[in-house]
Amino acid sequence: MSRQEADIEGVTNSFYREGKTDGLPVVPPSEERVEQMLEGTDLPRDDVIGRLGTREGALTVEKLAVNGVMAGCLPIHMPLLVAGARALADPQSNAIQASVSTGSWAYLCIVNGPIREALDVNSDTGAFGPGFRTNRTVGRALGLAYKNTAQINPGEKEMATLGNPFKFSLFAGENEERSPWEPMHAERGYDRDESTITFAAPNSFLQYQFKAGARSDQEMVESLIQHTPPNMLGLKTETANERYEGAQLEVFYALCPYNAQELEGYTKAEIKAYIAENARRRADELFSVDLGSADADDGLQPLWGRQFQDPDRINLFVTGGSGRFNAVMGPTLGGPTTKRVELPDDWEALLERYGDELDREWGQASSE
């Protein structure tokens, strides 16, 4: 065993005992590796990106770099890591409740803009699956940064009843090139040529197939409603605010390019409005959220309820490759929060220096 291999084994074992890992091996965050990681940002190493958790909280640029090294990131990942950390630290993300609740929430990250190509973010075939370095390492690094900054470990602060296999890995780019609609970040007020990362915390991920054959637009949109479980509500109570007081739940629909293109005659707004109006369930099926429920003396209660309070509680984006599989994710707990990716002054030089570490000889993106 080489000295380097021994160091990796020793650091992994030590960090695991101290609760600083996600259970997988980590790259030792040596001074040299952290210094190299910090090349990816113009921010001072002691700059506080935000506060994570409750009391422990200050995430500095240096701490983020340490966790990025541990997760296997490259220096060119730092701009995306900083933006993701800012999204996590935004009080509207409610990342603390998603990190400690018994509800077992995941970290969903959606990347938009030119940074997808620069960092080889998978937005096509297998977008949410394994295989791409940026998707796997950046999502993992953001999870480690939150976990280690807020000092959260299962059975101590994290009380997830079952846990979530997507906790730090629900990370993909939007397939803007094959989408008939404006991308998510443009919907949220950013220019198309800007790069962003959007964070949300869904509880569940459900994938389904819209079968091939002669199908109408009506059936296509109906399938979105039919495959949305009753627990996936979209609502915002009057008490919800930037500190996340009150309930604020949303749902994300991930459409494959093929099915999205079949609906190109409609805008996202039209589809969302249709879903919000027509997604109805028996009232006793809907996930229970305390909205100041009526007393028994208030008389007969309605049998049917709307799953979505309004279209703003619905998010629609295109990702993945060829095929007819779509997914619905939710309900999300707080957010979503979107942050701009800000590049350092020497970005082109950094890409030239480290970009070849993302080169691959496999996996040709599909096209139609």
Side-chain angles (χ1 to χ4, degrees):
M1 178 182 295
S2 70
R3 180 176 180 180
Q4 182 183 28
E5 289 171 333
D7 287 344
I8 291 174
E9 184 178 71
V11 169
T12 294
N13 291 340
S14 173
F15 280 23
Y16 178 72
R17 282 194 298 269
E18 296 170 9
K20 296 179 180 178
T21 79
D22 51 9
L24 293 172
V26 295
V27 177
S30 64
E31 289 187 16
E32 181 181 1
R33 290 190 177 107
V34 173
E35 286 291 339
Q36 191 176 49
M37 196 73 181
L38 289 168
E39 293 176 18
T41 180
D42 291 332
L43 296 172
R45 63 195 306 149
D46 59 351
D47 190 63
V48 176
I49 297 172
R51 300 192 68 83
L52 304 179
T54 50
R55 297 182 300 274
E56 296 82 5
L59 176 64
T60 64
V61 171
E62 183 176 29
K63 287 181 181 178
L64 182 62
V66 167
N67 285 277
V69 169
M70 289 168 58
C73 292
L74 299 169
I76 51 177
H77 288 133
M78 275 299 289
L80 192 54
L81 286 172
V82 171
R86 284 177 172 154
L88 282 169
D90 189 323
Q92 292 189 39
S93 75
N94 196 30
I96 180 58
Q97 190 171 349
S99 300
V100 303
S101 169
T102 57
S104 305
W105 311 85
Y107 287 15
L108 169 65
C109 294
I110 302 168
V111 180
N112 282 103
I115 198 71
R116 294 171 304 125
E117 181 178 358
L119 296 182
D120 197 28
V121 175
N122 191 12
S123 311
D124 207 276
T125 301
F128 280 114
F132 282 72
R133 182 170 184 174
T134 297
N135 296 56
R136 296 300 91 190
T137 60
V138 173
R140 184 190 185 196
L142 291 173
L144 284 173
Y146 203 104
K147 176 184 182 298
N148 289 331
T149 303
Q151 299 179 24
I152 295 173
N153 288 304
E156 295 176 358
K157 291 183 181 178
E158 181 184 350
M159 304 308 293
T161 303
L162 296 178
N164 198 309
F166 300 120
K167 190 72 174 186
F168 303 153
S169 61
L170 205 56
F171 187 109
E174 181 166 9
N175 197 334
E176 299 176 24
E177 292 72 23
R178 299 180 66 187
S179 172
W181 303 307
E182 64 177 352
M184 176 174 288
H185 68 315
E187 283 186 281
R188 300 181 64 80
Y190 294 87
D191 293 336
R192 289 188 69 121
D193 60 356
E194 291 183 291
S195 295
T196 66
I197 184 169
T198 297
F199 169 81
N203 179 260
S204 303
F205 177 102
L206 187 150
Q207 185 177 192
Y208 70 94
Q209 182 181 23
F210 187 70
K211 296 182 180 179
R215 302 278 177 168
S216 66
D217 296 342
Q218 178 77 24
E219 290 174 301
M220 178 67 240
V221 180
E222 281 184 16
S223 75
L224 300 177
I225 297 173
Q226 292 165 357
H227 290 90
T228 307
N231 72 303
M232 292 194 187
L233 287 184
L235 60 86
K236 182 176 182 179
T237 63
E238 292 182 359
T239 56
N241 58 28
E242 67 277 2
R243 294 182 56 193
Y244 197 79
E245 296 169 351
Q248 184 171 326
L249 308 176
E250 299 192 9
V251 171
F252 280 72
Y253 290 94
L255 263 68
C256 66
Y258 190 92
N259 288 152
Q261 290 162 10
E262 289 182 318
L263 294 173
E264 64 181 347
Y266 303 89
T267 66
K268 279 188 181 182
E270 289 172 330
I271 295 172
K272 292 178 183 181
Y274 184 89
I275 294 173
E277 176 61 32
N278 292 280
R280 298 174 183 266
R281 298 275 184 175
R282 281 185 58 93
D284 58 2
E285 287 183 333
L286 294 172
F287 183 70
S288 177
V289 175
D290 184 9
L291 299 177
S293 56
D295 295 330
D297 293 338
D298 287 344
L300 298 175
Q301 300 299 308
L303 291 176
W304 298 90
R306 294 177 60 170
Q307 202 156 349
F308 298 98
Q309 189 178 63
D310 57 67
D312 289 341
R313 309 276 74 80
I314 299 169
N315 301 275
L316 188 67
F317 68 103
V318 178
T319 194
S322 299
R324 296 173 181 267
F325 284 89
N326 304 306
V328 56
M329 293 165 275
T332 64
L333 202 61
T337 51
T338 300
K339 301 297 179 182
R340 181 184 293 105
V341 178
E342 299 178 355
L343 302 177
D345 291 339
D346 60 345
W347 177 242
E348 295 302 325
L350 285 168
L351 280 180
E352 186 174 349
R353 193 179 313 155
Y354 297 107
D356 60 357
E357 296 188 48
L358 294 175
D359 289 348
R360 50 191 169 86
E361 299 176 355
W362 50 268
Q364 299 302 314
S366 59
S367 61
E368 290 183 354

